[in-house]
Amino acid sequence: KNQVEQSPQSLIILEGKNCTLQCNYTVSPFSNLRWYKQDTGRGPVSLTIMTFSENTKSNGRYTATLDADTKQSSLHITASQLSDSASYICVVSAPMDSNYQLIWGAGTKLIIKP
Amino acid sequence: KAGVTQTPRYLIKTRGQQVTLSCSPISGHRSVSWYQQTPGQGLQFLFEYFSETQRNKGNFPGRFSGRQFSNSRSEMNVSTLELGDSALYLCASSQDRVTGELFFGEGSRLTVL
């Protein structure tokens, strides 16, 4: 069964610290893996999109890595800011018959404390 | 370039009523998808439309339906509302339905009393 699992479920860190969020998936084959940031009560915003051939992709203080062999991805946030408080969602796009599907993780809720 | 626009932003209905939500995608985007998000839960996929055709459908009862118009605008309808339908309904548009980035609207927050 195609699944995307994220850990930890929630995380609290102090402002200025770094953190790493994990995403494990059982989807195979897949087209791409995405990370989204969702502020409370708002729509998600795309951070990165990686195909299976890409190992790393950065977007400012956000760096995503992908290991297609172990089916793991991580999102590293450097020098966290209060505005980084949000849910971070990992999504895998996979072909399905003549169609495709997006498999969404449940997200990691990140809280940055001053 | 205008983003994805969802209307209304907030609405309150009572059980048994029906509701229609609207989504205007980014200009040039032909793929529109809908998601339901209940408090503390992840996004649950409802359906996706591309060029006026439903291409994907999630596991929701038939009370949930949608459509897309020739200008790519989309509507979703929920009939015979239940308390459990209270949620944030999000619409996303994309230029490429397989590899393209999803752009989300701010959502329509539905409360069913």
Side-chain angles (χ1 to χ4, degrees), chain A:
Chain A
K1 183 181 176 183
N2 288 334
Q3 284 186 312
V4 174
E5 294 185 352
Q6 295 188 242
S7 61
Q9 194 170 27
S10 61
L11 180 63
I12 302 174
I13 64 171
L14 292 175
E15 185 181 11
K17 298 296 186 182
N18 302 335
C19 67
T20 299
L21 313 180
Q22 298 292 339
C23 172
N24 295 337
Y25 59 94
T26 58
V27 182
S28 182
F30 77 96
S31 300
N32 57 65
L33 185 145
R34 316 166 183 207
W35 282 93
Y36 287 87
K37 176 187 178 188
Q38 184 179 24
D39 293 320
T40 301
R42 307 195 70 175
V45 174
S46 177
L47 294 176
T48 63
I49 299 178
M50 290 185 291
T51 65
F52 63 87
S53 61
E54 295 178 287
N55 298 120
T56 184
K57 190 164 252 188
S58 293
N59 179 355
R61 295 179 296 102
Y62 300 100
T63 299
T65 63
L66 175 62
D67 187 332
D69 291 331
T70 62
K71 294 185 171 58
Q72 294 180 325
S73 177
S74 64
L75 181 69
H76 185 75
I77 303 174
T78 304
S80 61
Q81 301 176 359
L82 297 179
S83 60
D84 292 330
S85 293
S87 287
Y88 291 84
I89 309 169
C90 176
V91 188
V92 177
S93 172
M96 178 181 67
D97 299 324
S98 58
N99 209 335
Y100 87 105
Q101 61 175 338
L102 292 179
I103 301 138
W104 292 75
T108 292
K109 187 177 176 67
L110 176 64
I111 298 172
I112 311 296
K113 286 192 175 288

